[in-house]
Each structure stands twice: as structure tokens, then as C-alpha cells.
């Protein structure tokens, strides 16, 4: 029994440690020093967006963007483009880049105003998606950015929607495979192998749940939440497989095996060839 508890601890602690290490990294965004930035879309300050009050993005619509920048550094600040992007698990599912030509002297403030058309958004994403509005300098690095929560009114058949559908299909296949193995008593007698057999379905369930929450607009699927749900469901599924009783051989298999053994014994006793064997 002590071996079982050791196995459980060996699985739970790495999962908890992984979530604890990656959660702060997922929540923390890189904030460049020395540059102050504020922005509004159609007159709304985007810094105040949240799950309850996301920034609604309609496909094929146009939004007026106003950005205020203050250069608190001792060197001129050259700006080359502004990006509006939405990301999930580090992958960009929608992105709009606008080229600009602006230099801000040290200690000075400047503004950017332009009109952005959201062409093709319906085919890129749908649901609540975290993103950012970032301003890039001449070296191609972000000099300032603002995190925001977007409510994309795209199609389920968008790139992000198909990503979730693919996750659901793969998870359903993994569940069916595990269920079939359980029904046929084909799970391994080794506890670790049984746990690993159920690990993939558990992981998939967590990922699909987080995707569903995003599309249903329950919350923003940031990397921390994806890791938390996927890690938790994967650990639970592994423990269920690890702690499950050792499967017993199917009775039909035992009967067939006994019948084959008796047939071989009778054939040997009578010195007759076994059916299907070489004379």
C-alpha cells in the first residue's frame, strides 16, 4: 500500500509544481520601462477591459484607435508599427499590424490616431480571447503594450474554432480507446501503464473544457487556466488508472486457452496431428 501512496505522490507533486511555476509566468506580461502608454478604441479606454466588460470586436467593422505615448527615457524613441493581437497558449489567432512613422523626443509625449478595419476576423477567432495592443520600435521590439480582453464575434469554423474542434475529436478518440480497453479487460496489469493509458483522455478533457469556456464566453483562456485545468484533469485520470483494480483475464479467453490445451494433450496422447499443424 505504501508503494501506491508513493506512486500517487510521484504524480501529484510534479503536476502541482509545474502549475505553480508556470502560473506566475503566464500571468506576468513584459512591461517595458521608460515609456507610458494609454489607448482607447472608439473612445473607450482599453486598459479597463475584463471578462465582465470585454472589448467587442465585430468582423469586417472599423474601429478608431487613439494612442498616447510618453517617452521617459534619455534617448529619442522611434516607432515603426502598432500590433493588435489575440493569443491563446502563446499562439496568435488574430493579428492586425499598422505601420507608423513617429519619433518621440526624450521627455515628450505624442499621439497616434488611425482607423483599423477588422477584415477577415470571422475566419480567425471567436469567443473571449486575451490579447494586447503593442507599439514596436525600429529594432522590432515592443516598447510599450497594454493587455486587454477581447470578445471576438467570429465563426466557430474559424482557425481558433477548428483548433478546439480538433481537440474535441482527439479527446473523444482517446476516451473511446480507453473505454474499449476497459470493457475488454485489456488494461495493463502494471499500475503505471494503466495510469498512462488514462492520462491522454484526462488531459484532453481539461483542454476541451477550457476551450469551451472561451467560446461560451465564461472566461478568458489564458495560459495559466489551460495549465490548471489540463494538469488537474490529467492527474485525476492518471490516479484513477493507477488506483484501479488489476484487470482479470476474460473468462472466454480462459475457456479457449483450456480447450486448446486439452486438444494438444489429446493429440499428443493419441499421436495424432493437431489441426492446422504440419504433418
Amino acid at each position: 500500500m505504501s508503494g501506491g501512496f508513493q506512486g500517487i505522490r510521484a504524480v501529484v507533486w510534479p503536476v502541482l509544481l509545474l502549475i505553480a511555476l508556470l502560473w506566475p509566468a503566464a500571468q506576468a506580461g513584459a512591461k517595458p520601462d521608460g515609456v507610458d502608454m494609454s489607448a482607447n478604441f472608439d473612445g473607450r479606454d482599453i486598459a479597463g477591459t475584463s471578462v465582465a466588460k470585454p472589448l467587442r470586436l465585430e468582423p469586417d467593422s472599423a474601429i478608431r484607435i487613439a494612442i498616447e505615448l510618453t517617452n521617459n527615457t534619455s534617448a529619442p524613441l522611434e516607432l515603426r508599427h502598432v500590433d493588435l493581437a489575440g493569443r491563446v497558449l502563446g499562439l496568435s489567432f488574430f493579428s492586425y499590424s499598422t505601420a507608423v512613422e513617429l519619433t518621440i523626443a526624450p521627455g515628450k509625449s505624442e499621439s497616434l490616431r488611425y482607423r483599423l478595419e477588422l477584415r477577415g476576423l470571422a475566419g480567425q477567432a471567436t469567443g473571449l480571447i486575451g490579447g494586447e495592443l503593442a507599439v514596436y520600435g525600429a529594432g522590432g521590439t515592443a516598447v510599450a503594450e497594454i493587455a486587454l480582453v477581447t470578445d471576438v464575434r467570429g465563426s466557430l469554423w474559424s482557425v481558433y474554432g477548428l483548433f478546439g474542434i480538433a481537440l474535441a475529436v482527439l479527446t473523444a478518440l482517446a476516451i473511446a480507446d480507453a473505454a474499449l480497453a476497459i470493457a475488454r479487460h485489456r488494461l495493463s496489469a502494471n499500475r503505471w501503464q494503466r495510469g498512462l493509458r488514462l492520462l491522454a483522455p484526462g488531459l484532453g478533457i481539461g483542454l476541451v473544457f477550457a476551450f469551451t469556456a472561451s467560446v461560451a464566453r465564461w472566461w478568458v483562456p489564458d495560459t495559466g487556466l489551460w495549465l490548471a485545468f489540463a494538469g488537474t484533469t490529467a492527474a485525476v485520470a492518471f490516479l484513477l488508472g493507477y488506483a484501479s483494480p488489476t484487470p482479470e483475464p476474460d473468462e472466454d479467453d480462459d475457456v479457449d486457452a483450456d480447450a486448446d490445451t486439452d486438444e494438444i494433450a489429446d493429440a499428443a496422447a493419441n499421436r495424432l496431428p493437431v489441426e492446422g499443424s504440419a504433418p
Side-chain angles (χ1 to χ4, degrees):
M1 190 68 178
S2 60
F5 283 114
Q6 291 177 357
I8 292 174
R9 288 197 299 268
V11 176
V12 173
W13 283 113
V15 172
L16 294 178
L17 180 61
L18 178 65
I19 295 175
L21 291 176
L22 293 182
W23 185 284
Q27 298 297 323
K31 184 178 180 181
D33 296 328
V35 180
D36 294 333
M37 175 182 175
S38 63
N40 67 74
F41 284 23
D42 291 331
R44 177 186 176 183
D45 187 358
I46 64 173
T49 59
S50 64
V51 175
K53 297 180 179 180
L55 177 67
R56 186 178 177 120
L57 298 179
E58 295 282 355
D60 300 322
S61 65
I63 52 179
R64 291 175 287 107
I65 298 178
I67 302 173
E68 300 292 335
L69 293 159
T70 301
N71 182 9
N72 297 318
T73 68
S74 59
L77 181 63
E78 297 183 1
L79 306 180
R80 290 297 177 263
H81 62 97
V82 181
D83 282 0
L84 172 64
R87 295 184 174 86
V88 177
L89 292 176
L91 302 175
S92 179
F93 283 96
F94 71 84
S95 179
Y96 293 91
S97 182
T98 303
V100 297
E101 290 286 344
L102 180 65
T103 301
I104 306 176
K108 300 295 183 180
S109 299
E110 296 287 350
S111 61
L112 288 169
R113 286 178 171 79
Y114 62 95
R115 176 187 174 93
L116 178 63
E117 295 186 358
L118 302 176
R119 295 179 179 176
L121 182 61
Q124 298 184 57
T126 186
L128 288 181
I129 295 180
E132 71 274 340
L133 181 71
V135 179
Y136 289 82
T141 58
V143 298
E145 63 183 27
I146 299 176
L148 66 156
V149 177
T150 63
D151 179 5
V152 182
R153 294 290 168 166
S155 169
L156 184 61
W157 303 110
S158 61
V159 175
Y160 181 56
L162 293 176
F163 169 75
I165 292 173
L167 281 178
V169 170
L170 293 175
T171 300
L173 292 175
I175 293 174
D177 177 70
L180 192 62
I182 294 173
R184 294 183 174 180
H185 305 287
R186 292 294 186 267
L187 288 180
S188 173
N190 183 279
R191 290 185 178 274
W192 284 97
Q193 292 183 8
R194 293 203 303 275
L196 292 175
R197 186 69 177 269
L198 298 183
L199 183 65
L203 181 64
I205 290 172
L207 294 176
V208 170
F209 182 79
F211 168 79
T212 303
S214 169
V215 174
R217 296 173 174 84
W218 297 339
W219 63 57
V220 179
D222 59 52
T223 303
L225 282 175
W226 282 79
L227 289 173
F229 277 103
T232 300
T233 54
V236 170
F238 181 92
L239 293 177
L240 288 175
Y242 185 91
S244 62
T246 301
E248 298 180 357
D250 196 342
E251 294 181 0
D252 293 338
D253 294 340
D254 293 341
V255 172
D256 293 340
D258 293 340
D260 292 341
T261 301
D262 293 340
E263 182 181 352
I264 294 174
D266 292 341
N270 298 321
R271 296 183 177 181
L272 295 175
V274 178
E275 182 180 356
S277 62

